[in-house]
Amino acid sequence: MGLEVPLDRLQRWLQAVVVHRGTAEEAVAAPAARAFVPRGRVGEVLLPSATLRPEQRLAIYHGMYLLRMEEALESDYPALKHFLGDEGFRTLVAGYVQAYPSRSYSLNFLGRHVPDYVRLAPGLRRRGFCHDLARLEQAVAEVFDAPEEKPLQAEEIAAVPDEAWERARLVPIAAFRLLAFRYPVNAYLQSVKDEDHAHTPLRRRDAWVVVHRRQYNVWRQDLDRAGHGLLADLVAGKRLGSAVAAALRRGRRPTQAELFRWFRGWMGAGMFRTVETGPAGPARPAGPARPGLKTG
Amino acid sequence: MTTNRWGLPDLGIGVGLRTVHFPHILSRHPAVDWFEVLSENFMDTGGRPLHILDQIVERYPVALHGVSLSIGSTDPLDREYLRKLKTLAARTRARWVSDHLCWTGVLGRNVHDLLPMPYTEEALRHTVARVKVVSEVLERPLVLENPSSYVEFAASTMTEWEFLSRLADDADCGLLLDVNNVYVSSFNHGFDPRDYIAGIPADRVVQYHVAGHTNKGTHIVDTHSDHAIAEVWELYRLAWRRTGPTATLYEWDEDIPSFEVVHAEALKARAHREEPATEAASVRRGA
């Protein structure tokens, strides 16, 4: 008579084998699997086929696991994979899914902790650059899937009385992320997308990017420090008058023409969904306003 | 015409909806009968995929097909998943909702694979109870697909088709008969695929899947990466004789060619739907 294993323990055993980082043989011998099925009794749980031993049959599932995880993460982090190379990315994925295994029904959420993991991943070269690049690619994935919202319309802007603008607050659409980097990763990401892969030097240089969606297309737009500062104040919930005043107090003062050009561009790009002219509410935190989402 | 017990329609010959084909579908409106939509791809997006799906369902009938229900898992059912699935089904006016006889993870983890069940009385009781809950939540009979598998459990006391038949009867669910999966598993486990086809309750089959696979020599992997081989089409013909007109869907998920190629492959089903079955012996017994 074979080894009797209740369904829940059988599933825990098989999962422990499938997700083990080593080979299938090592997986079967690992404590996580042996807690349910002793290594020497695998043949009492699984049947051989005409051509494969039970352990070899298990290896089919074990081998497909990492490939599937890598494929899912590559769809969100193509530039990070390009930078690390196939082997480097595979190593990153193998460590990542141990640290942050999928706990969702959807692979869309698998990559949401990649930037966090990149900060700590052992042996990673150019860690700061990789972290910035992962943050940018994560933002792109989140914006791609964020809920669709109607952007602020010209008539809504025109309806705001002149005297109300000083106290007005601009609310960004859900498909909006504002980011500050220590490396010019937006240029790198673009160079990966371009055919010739003419990468910019990876030297440290502060950079600012807004990622947003318009008519279902995701856009990445470089900003300068002053523009980023103003936009950051606005999305944090500062009143327009205060935000502009703060921008004029900071290092490089934008000219009035620049301010007009920025606002025209941001409004035209549909980055805001509404303008609030009522009493002050609690300030909104800067940064992602929605849980991480991924390309479907 | 329809032959299943719920009167669910024979939608004709469809193709699995894949993102690489979106531009072609939207611009050319190909004369495909229906699309099967991968549920999880549209449950958590408010972006372009959902926008495109909304346009497609205006023009074509669809059915939802999932990979994460994990009906056989010993973890609790994911109620949030079910809620979103029901919402998507309503939004797309899905003719039915299917998933697989499998489990995808335990202990809160998801390995995103269609892991095999042991075919035991314990597993049957467990799965029947969960199918009933899901059907109640979705307010429609759940449709379950036979999976491809690469291992067999020594504890199994019945064949896969016996398990599926009893499950379908006890839980009152529909079946999605994937004839490629029948072939793949018959090769991997050494049973006669004709026995499988003969053992399925025909009046519970509401849909077929046909697909290609990859033969590794020692085993076959269900890759959906190629044309279907003649033996798989022959199984389809045999099954068709038992079920009569039933919605049929071609799946192509790796190395996906142009829409025209996938659709042409799907339309090969026509010949097998219209011609009488040949000798069943032409289907090779699994290795």
Side-chain angles (χ1 to χ4, degrees), chain A residues 7 11 15 19 44-47 51 57 61 65 68 97 101-105 107 144-146 213 216-217, chain B residues 44-46 48 51 68 72 74 81 84 103 105-106 109-113 122 150 152 154 188-189 218:
Chain A
L7 184 61
Q11 292 183 340
Q15 177 169 288
V19 304
E44 296 178 51
V45 176
L46 298 180
L47 299 175
T51 52
R57 305 184 89 182
Y61 288 101
Y65 173 66
R68 201 164 40 252
V97 296
S102 175
R103 297 198 176 279
S104 167
Y105 54 84
L107 279 167
F144 180 86
D145 277 326
R213 196 176 76 207
Y216 299 103
N217 292 310
Chain B
D44 292 287
T45 181
R48 181 181 292 279
H51 176 59
S68 288
T74 47
Y81 174 84
K84 290 183 177 180
W103 58 285
V106 285
R109 186 167 182 161
N110 196 327
V111 301
H112 300 283
D113 198 353
E122 179 199 17
Y150 312 102
E152 287 175 287
N188 292 339
H189 307 319
T218 54

Side-chain angles (χ1 to χ4, degrees), chain B:
Chain B
M1 181 179 171
T2 181
T3 54
N4 62 72
R5 63 171 55 207
W6 297 279
L8 292 168
D10 169 17
L11 296 176
I13 299 171
V15 168
L17 183 65
R18 303 295 181 261
T19 54
V20 293
H21 294 148
F22 281 173
H24 179 89
I25 296 166
L26 292 182
S27 63
R28 307 286 286 274
H29 305 308
V32 62
D33 292 338
W34 66 287
F35 285 106
E36 185 186 73
V37 175
L38 296 173
S39 314
E40 292 81 5
N41 285 5
F42 300 91
M43 286 167 64
D44 292 287
T45 181
R48 181 181 292 279
L50 195 59
H51 176 59
I52 291 175
L53 181 60
D54 284 341
Q55 296 172 65
I56 287 172
V57 301
E58 286 302 313
R59 191 173 284 268
Y60 300 96
V62 302
L64 294 185
H65 185 53
V67 293
S68 288
L69 177 59
S70 201
I71 196 69
S73 173
T74 47
D75 268 10
L77 284 164
D78 186 336
R79 297 285 178 162
E80 175 72 358
Y81 174 84
L82 290 177
R83 186 185 63 77
K84 290 183 177 180
L85 183 60
K86 188 176 182 181
T87 300
L88 184 66
R91 181 178 184 131
T92 58
R93 300 184 294 282
R95 300 310 196 265
W96 53 82
V97 177
S98 67
D99 205 291
H100 301 79
L101 173 61
C102 71
W103 58 285
T104 63
V106 285
L107 302 172
R109 186 167 182 161
N110 196 327
V111 301
H112 300 283
D113 198 353
L114 310 176
L115 297 170
M117 297 291 292
Y119 299 127
T120 62
E121 296 293 338
E122 179 199 17
L124 182 62
R125 284 193 303 274
H126 175 75
T127 312
V128 165
R130 287 163 66 95
V131 170
K132 286 179 176 175
V133 171
V134 171
S135 295
E136 190 175 312
V137 171
L138 296 179
E139 297 182 283
R140 57 172 85 202
L142 177 66
V143 177
L144 283 177
E145 175 182 347
N146 57 300
S148 288
S149 61
Y150 312 102
V151 298
E152 287 175 287
F153 294 98
S156 290
T157 55
M158 61 190 104
T159 63
E160 183 174 295
W161 57 94
E162 288 167 345
F163 187 94
L164 266 175
S165 299
R166 289 183 59 188
L167 172 66
D169 280 343
D170 293 353
D172 194 24
C173 69
L175 296 176
L176 192 172
L177 183 57
D178 187 318
V179 289
N180 179 58
N181 287 350
V182 171
Y183 182 82
V184 168
S185 291
S186 76
F187 185 98
N188 292 339
H189 307 319
F191 62 76
D192 189 331
R194 294 166 301 183
D195 293 340
Y196 199 121
I197 299 297
I200 288 292
D203 68 331
R204 290 194 178 274
V205 177
V206 301
Q207 186 190 330
Y208 284 108
H209 269 171
V210 186
H213 56 244
T214 302
N215 192 326
K216 302 278 191 182
T218 54
H219 61 284
I220 293 180
V221 180
D222 178 34
T223 50
H224 299 178
S225 61
D226 208 338
H227 300 267
I229 64 171
E231 288 89 339
V232 169
W233 282 119
E234 183 59 23
L235 288 177
Y236 174 72
R237 186 199 305 263
L238 284 175
W240 176 263
R241 279 183 62 177
R242 296 200 60 230
T243 64
T246 302
T248 300
L249 191 288
Y250 199 87
E251 296 179 292
W252 203 316
D253 291 295
E254 277 188 28
D255 307 321
I256 302 175
S258 70
F259 185 87
E260 291 95 331
V261 171
V262 178
H263 193 198
E265 184 67 13
L267 291 177
K268 288 180 182 176
R270 277 182 182 160
H272 304 282
R273 291 161 70 105
E274 291 160 2
E275 292 175 11
T278 57
E279 283 298 309
S282 65
V283 178
R284 187 176 69 84
R285 185 184 169 83

Side-chain angles (χ1 to χ4, degrees), chain A residues 248-270:
Chain A
L248 293 172
R249 283 196 303 271
R250 279 194 283 262
R252 184 185 75 77
R253 294 181 177 186
T255 64
Q256 194 175 48
E258 273 181 310
L259 285 172
F260 278 126
R261 182 162 49 78
W262 287 347
F263 274 103
R264 194 168 56 241
W266 297 340
M267 295 292 187

Side-chain angles (χ1 to χ4, degrees), chain A residues 75-78 108-109 135-149 173-177 179 193 210-220 290-296, chain B residues 19-20 22 40-53:
Chain A
S75 71
D76 273 357
Y77 296 95
N108 279 14
F109 304 113
R135 286 173 55 224
L136 177 59
E137 294 201 286
Q138 182 187 41
V140 170
E142 288 174 357
V143 165
F144 180 86
D145 277 326
E148 177 69 3
E149 293 174 322
I173 58 173
F176 175 98
R177 298 290 184 273
L179 303 123
K193 291 176 179 289
V210 59
V211 182
H212 65 98
R213 196 176 76 207
R214 188 183 186 198
Q215 294 176 335
Y216 299 103
N217 292 310
V218 176
W219 297 89
R220 291 173 285 115
R290 297 288 192 281
L293 297 167
K294 169 196 162 286
T295 304
Chain B
T19 54
V20 293
F22 281 173
E40 292 81 5
N41 285 5
F42 300 91
M43 286 167 64
D44 292 287
T45 181
R48 181 181 292 279
L50 195 59
H51 176 59
I52 291 175
L53 181 60

Side-chain angles (χ1 to χ4, degrees), chain A residues 48-116:
Chain A
S49 73
T51 52
L52 297 173
R53 290 182 288 108
E55 291 83 356
Q56 291 173 310
R57 305 184 89 182
L58 268 179
I60 298 170
Y61 288 101
H62 177 268
M64 289 192 291
Y65 173 66
L66 263 191
L67 290 176
R68 201 164 40 252
M69 298 298 105
E70 186 181 341
E71 187 179 293
L73 290 172
E74 181 186 353
S75 71
D76 273 357
Y77 296 95
L80 185 60
K81 179 175 182 180
H82 182 85
F83 178 74
L84 295 175
D86 290 348
E87 196 55 43
F89 190 71
R90 193 165 299 130
T91 301
L92 183 84
V93 170
Y96 176 72
V97 296
Q98 295 295 324
Y100 295 99
S102 175
R103 297 198 176 279
S104 167
Y105 54 84
S106 174
L107 279 167
N108 279 14
F109 304 113
L110 177 64
R112 60 167 41 162
H113 298 293
V114 166
D116 297 335

